[in-house]
Amino acid sequence: MRTFAIPAAVLCGVLLLSACGKDSNDGGLPVPAGGSGATTSSTPATQPTEPRTTATAPATTAQPTAPAAKQVVVQAGNFGSNPAVQGLVTSYPLYFKALVDRDDTILKQRFPSFFYADVAQGIADAKRNGWVMKPPGGVVVVGVGSTPQGTVTVQTCRSQSTQYWDPKARNWTVAAPHGSPEVIEMVKTGMGWLPYRLVTSKGVNCAGVHYPV
C-alpha cells in the first residue's frame, strides 16, 4: 500500500488557518452554544427621553380692590358695650343709606313701623324738594337711657354732613355747624336691637362733640 506524506509546509498552513478561524475574544474560555461571548437582542435599546411637560396657564393673581368708602361712621365711644348701641351701630348705615338714596324701601322692609313712619315723611320731602345728602356723614353716641317699657334711648349727635343740602338755596336745610342732636329709641326684636322711633332730643348738647369724619 502506498502512503502519502504531507509536506511540513502544508501542515503548518493548515494549523495557521485553524488559529485564524477562532474568535480572538474567546480568550480560551467556554462560550455559549451558537455564538461567542457577545449577546444580541431583537429589541432596540431605548434612548433616554426628556420628561413630558404639560403647558399650564400662568397663575392669575386677583387684583386687590379698594374697600368701599363708608357713607356714615358711627362712633360709640364709651357706650360700645351696650347691646342697644351695638344694634344702632349695625343698623344706622341702612337708615343713613335710605336718607342718601331718598328711598324708604329698606326702612319698610327691615325696621319697625313706628320708625319707618317717623322717617318716611322726611325722605318724601327731600325727594320732592330735590334735597341731597353728601356722604360721608358722622354720628357720635353721647348718652344712653332706659325707659319703663324696656326700650333704650340712644342719644346721638349728627355731623353737618348728615343733613340735607338744598341746591336751590345753596344752604343746608338744617343749619348745624356743630352737629345736631338726634335721639333714637331702640327696641329688642327677633332680629336684635333695632330703631323703634325718634324721640325728643331736648337737653342733648352737641357743641363740644368731635366727629369721626
Side-chain angles (χ1 to χ4, degrees):
M1 179 183 295
R2 184 184 290 180
T3 59
F4 296 94
I6 300 176
V10 175
L11 182 61
C12 288
V14 173
L15 293 175
L16 287 173
L17 288 175
S18 298
C20 291
K22 270 192 174 181
D23 191 340
S24 59
N25 293 327
D26 287 347
L29 297 176
V31 295
S36 62
T39 57
T40 59
S41 171
S42 60
T43 305
T46 57
Q47 298 296 324
T49 57
E50 295 183 0
R52 291 184 180 178
T53 56
T54 304
T56 55
T60 56
T61 303
Q63 296 297 323
T65 56
K70 292 183 178 180
Q71 287 187 323
V72 63
V73 176
V74 183
Q75 183 174 300
N78 297 330
F79 306 98
S81 60
N82 186 290
V85 173
Q86 293 173 1
L88 179 67
V89 171
T90 302
S91 59
Y92 202 99
L94 293 177
Y95 162 44
F96 190 70
K97 187 178 187 306
L99 299 179
V100 172
D101 295 344
R102 295 174 301 181
D103 184 355
D104 60 13
T105 303
I106 190 68
L107 300 180
K108 185 183 298 184
Q109 295 174 343
R110 300 283 295 275
F111 289 78
S113 58
F114 283 131
F115 187 75
Y116 163 74
D118 287 346
V119 180
Q121 185 57 50
I123 291 177
D125 292 342
K127 192 171 184 179
R128 182 178 61 254
N129 295 311
W131 299 338
V132 295
M133 194 175 286
K134 298 179 181 180
V139 176
V140 177
V141 178
V142 295
V144 175
S146 58
T147 71
Q149 293 75 30
T151 61
V152 175
T153 56
V154 180
Q155 302 171 6
T156 69
C157 289
R158 296 168 38 143
S159 66
Q160 176 71 82
S161 59
T162 62
Q163 318 302 325
Y164 282 116
W165 172 263
D166 185 350
K168 298 176 183 177
R170 298 186 63 81
N171 201 353
W172 297 99
T173 57
V174 176
H178 300 293
S180 61
E182 181 182 59
V183 179
I184 301 177
E185 188 175 346
M186 304 290 293
V187 64
K188 188 175 183 180
T189 70
M191 298 176 63
W193 286 89
L194 289 174
Y196 179 55
R197 59 184 177 177
L198 296 175
V199 295
T200 180
S201 59
K202 184 178 180 180
V204 180
N205 185 3
C206 297
V209 175
H210 298 284
Y211 299 96
V213 294

